[in-house]
Amino acid sequence: MEIPFLVGRFAYAEIDSMMFFPTLLISLWMGGRNYVALMKSVGVVAPLYLFWDFLATYRDSWAFNPSHVLGLYVVNLPVEEVMFFVVTPFATIMIYDFLRRRRDSRVRWASWISLLAGVASLSISPLFLAHSYTFVDLLYMGMALIASWLLDRGMLESLNFWRFMALSYVPFLVFDFFLTALPVVEYGPGSILGVRVITIPVEDFIYSFSMLTLYTLFYRYFLGRQTANVR
């Protein structure tokens, strides 16, 4: 599929730029963002997903279309893909920064539902061993939910957190559509179930959920540490 303003080797770089620069301008206008806590969260979470990315690319679970990347690589990943793990939290956590300034409500049962969902995700993952992306996706989602329950139940019981997760799918649908429609990302045979929303594999929705849950979990943790140190 040809998208007029996203063609050639600059496509993935353009997608990263479309996420980063508008967010940077809004962040500067909005003010009050804690970039130190955000970058610490990136430092914890990004390596978990980069490791998966390196391994998945090596095993041909997915690949990056050389027609739509700059051609600069970190081992076997395009530099744009590495930057994705910085650009995505920088852009998306801004939604959470906006919401956490607003009045919140506590949903006590949400943490227990999340724990059950995490345990269920880990339990059913072996059923999808034949589909490498689906299998690891479920492992990571289970890990993200259980880690959140153990470390920060308050996040899982925050209505603003769930509002944030719902709103995060708005930019997700836009940018993941570009990645999968061109396609920038190509999935290996059998790595996914083949169920798609427009051009987006259903696994990408789970991937986004687990990744943003972990980014937010550690962002909140480092925000709390900074507040404690001030006191």
Side-chain angles (χ1 to χ4, degrees), residues 42 50 64 73 118 135 143 192 213:
V42 170
L50 281 167
F64 298 91
Y73 289 83
F135 168 64
M143 173 187 70
I192 59 176
T213 296

Coordinates of all heavy atoms in Angstrom, one line a residue, residues 42 50 64 73 118 135 143 192 213:
V42 N 12.4 4.3 30.8 CA 12.9 3.8 29.5 C 14.1 2.8 29.7 O 14.2 1.8 29.1 CB 13.3 4.9 28.6 CG1 14.0 4.4 27.3 CG2 12.0 5.7 28.2
L50 N 13.8 -4.7 23.6 CA 14.9 -4.8 22.7 C 15.4 -6.2 22.6 O 15.7 -6.7 21.5 CB 16.0 -3.8 23.0 CG 15.8 -2.3 22.6 CD1 16.8 -1.4 23.3 CD2 15.8 -2.2 21.1
F64 N 12.2 -6.3 9.1 CA 12.0 -4.9 8.7 C 12.3 -4.7 7.2 O 13.4 -5.0 6.8 CB 12.8 -4.0 9.6 CG 12.5 -4.1 11.0 CD1 13.1 -5.0 11.9 CD2 11.4 -3.3 11.6 CE1 12.8 -5.1 13.2 CE2 11.1 -3.4 12.9 CZ 11.8 -4.3 13.7
Y73 N 21.9 0.1 11.2 CA 21.5 -0.9 12.1 C 22.3 -1.0 13.4 O 23.4 -0.7 13.4 CB 21.6 -2.3 11.4 CG 20.6 -2.5 10.2 CD1 20.9 -2.0 9.0 CD2 19.5 -3.2 10.5 CE1 20.0 -2.2 7.9 CE2 18.5 -3.4 9.4 CZ 18.8 -2.8 8.2 OH 17.9 -3.0 7.2
G118 N -3.4 -11.7 34.3 CA -2.0 -12.0 34.1 C -1.7 -13.5 34.3 O -0.9 -14.1 33.5
F135 N 2.9 -16.3 21.4 CA 3.4 -16.9 22.6 C 4.1 -16.0 23.5 O 3.8 -15.8 24.7 CB 4.3 -18.1 22.2 CG 5.1 -18.7 23.4 CD1 4.4 -19.3 24.4 CD2 6.5 -18.6 23.4 CE1 5.2 -19.8 25.5 CE2 7.2 -19.1 24.4 CZ 6.5 -19.7 25.5
M143 N 3.5 -11.1 32.5 CA 4.6 -10.6 33.4 C 4.3 -9.1 33.8 O 4.4 -8.7 34.9 CB 5.9 -10.6 32.6 CG 7.1 -9.9 33.3 SD 8.5 -9.8 32.2 CE 8.0 -8.6 31.0
I192 N 2.3 -15.3 13.8 CA 1.1 -14.7 14.3 C -0.1 -15.5 13.9 O -0.1 -16.4 13.0 CB 0.9 -13.2 13.7 CG1 0.8 -13.2 12.2 CG2 2.0 -12.3 14.2 CD1 0.5 -11.9 11.6
T213 N 2.1 -0.6 30.0 CA 1.9 -0.9 31.4 C 3.2 -0.9 32.2 O 3.3 -0.3 33.2 CB 1.2 -2.3 31.6 OG1 -0.1 -2.3 31.0 CG2 1.0 -2.7 33.0

